[in-house]
Amino acid sequence: METVEIISIDRATLPGELLPIAKTHMRVSYNDDDAYIQLCLQRAIDLFERHSGRCVFETVAFWEPVRSAQRLLLPLIPVQSFTAADATGNDVTNEYEIKGGDYFQRKDGAPVPAGMMITLTCGFAAMADLPPSPVDITLRVSAYFYENRESVTSYGLEQVPQWMNDLLLGNWVPRA
């Protein structure tokens, strides 16, 4: 079985950078709810990640493919950078590339051997790097969470408004 181990996830930077924009979007002019709004932003980004299959929070993961192939489907996307070591621990990063945003392969076209040790840096380290779609969805969903924090039935907690599903599923990437 293929091994993907999350080493670290930065859940603080993006919500902190998005806070001023989110407060403007929500029309909140005071600072009393800043911590709660950041929590709403974290929840919205997490929801986007789970529905779309993409990393938004900057994530560092260790990946060890178990099969050899011409190219391997990346377990996390988007990948911003990677390092690769062969089974003996030698750095072979320069021999590999990410192709089409979804595949890891050798530059010379030879098969990628099983047992590689690959460290992936995925997601986004700063708000300036985020594409517009996740920003828009994060703002809308976090505003929904902020405005709808009252007690509801357990059935109501499972419901997501249709407009939210439409936004989230429009960014879904099928992964094999």
Side-chain angles (χ1 to χ4, degrees):
M1 186 169 145
E2 194 165 270
T3 303
V4 177
E5 178 186 342
I6 302 298
I7 297 170
S8 68
I9 300 176
D10 179 0
R11 286 187 160 77
T13 300
L14 290 177
E17 290 184 14
L18 283 167
L19 181 62
I21 296 168
K23 287 175 69 172
T24 300
H25 177 76
M26 296 175 189
R27 294 186 176 102
V28 174
S29 59
Y30 48 88
N31 298 331
D32 296 349
D33 284 348
D34 284 6
Y36 184 70
I37 293 170
Q38 284 188 356
L39 176 63
C40 291
L41 289 163
Q42 288 172 342
R43 290 171 52 210
I45 293 169
D46 181 65
L47 184 67
F48 177 83
E49 286 184 331
R50 287 185 285 125
H51 277 266
S52 70
R54 296 173 183 253
C55 290
V56 176
F57 291 120
E58 183 178 42
T59 303
V60 177
F62 175 75
W63 173 39
E64 187 176 349
V66 295
R67 65 182 182 86
S68 179
Q70 284 297 117
R71 60 185 193 169
L72 299 170
L73 185 65
L74 290 166
L76 302 170
I77 58 169
V79 173
Q80 304 302 334
S81 64
F82 69 90
T83 59
D86 62 19
T88 60
N90 296 322
D91 185 351
V92 292
T93 303
N94 292 335
E95 298 174 23
Y96 292 87
E97 65 184 349
I98 304 293
K99 192 73 165 188
D102 289 330
Y103 293 97
F104 181 81
Q105 65 185 35
R106 287 184 58 101
K107 289 179 181 176
D108 63 7
V112 177
M116 296 279 303
M117 296 170 276
I118 305 161
T119 302
L120 304 170
T121 301
C122 308
F124 303 92
M127 188 187 80
D129 300 331
L130 272 171
S133 183
V135 172
D136 179 55
I137 292 167
T138 298
L139 293 175
R140 291 175 188 233
V141 173
S142 62
Y144 176 82
F145 289 153
Y146 180 75
E147 291 296 327
N148 295 284
R149 53 188 156 176
E150 68 276 349
S151 296
V152 294
T153 65
S154 60
Y155 177 77
L157 289 173
E158 300 301 321
Q159 297 301 314
V160 175
Q162 185 59 44
W163 62 264
M164 198 181 300
N165 274 330
D166 292 344
L167 288 173
L168 293 166
L169 293 176
N171 286 277
W172 178 67
V173 176
R175 308 295 294 162

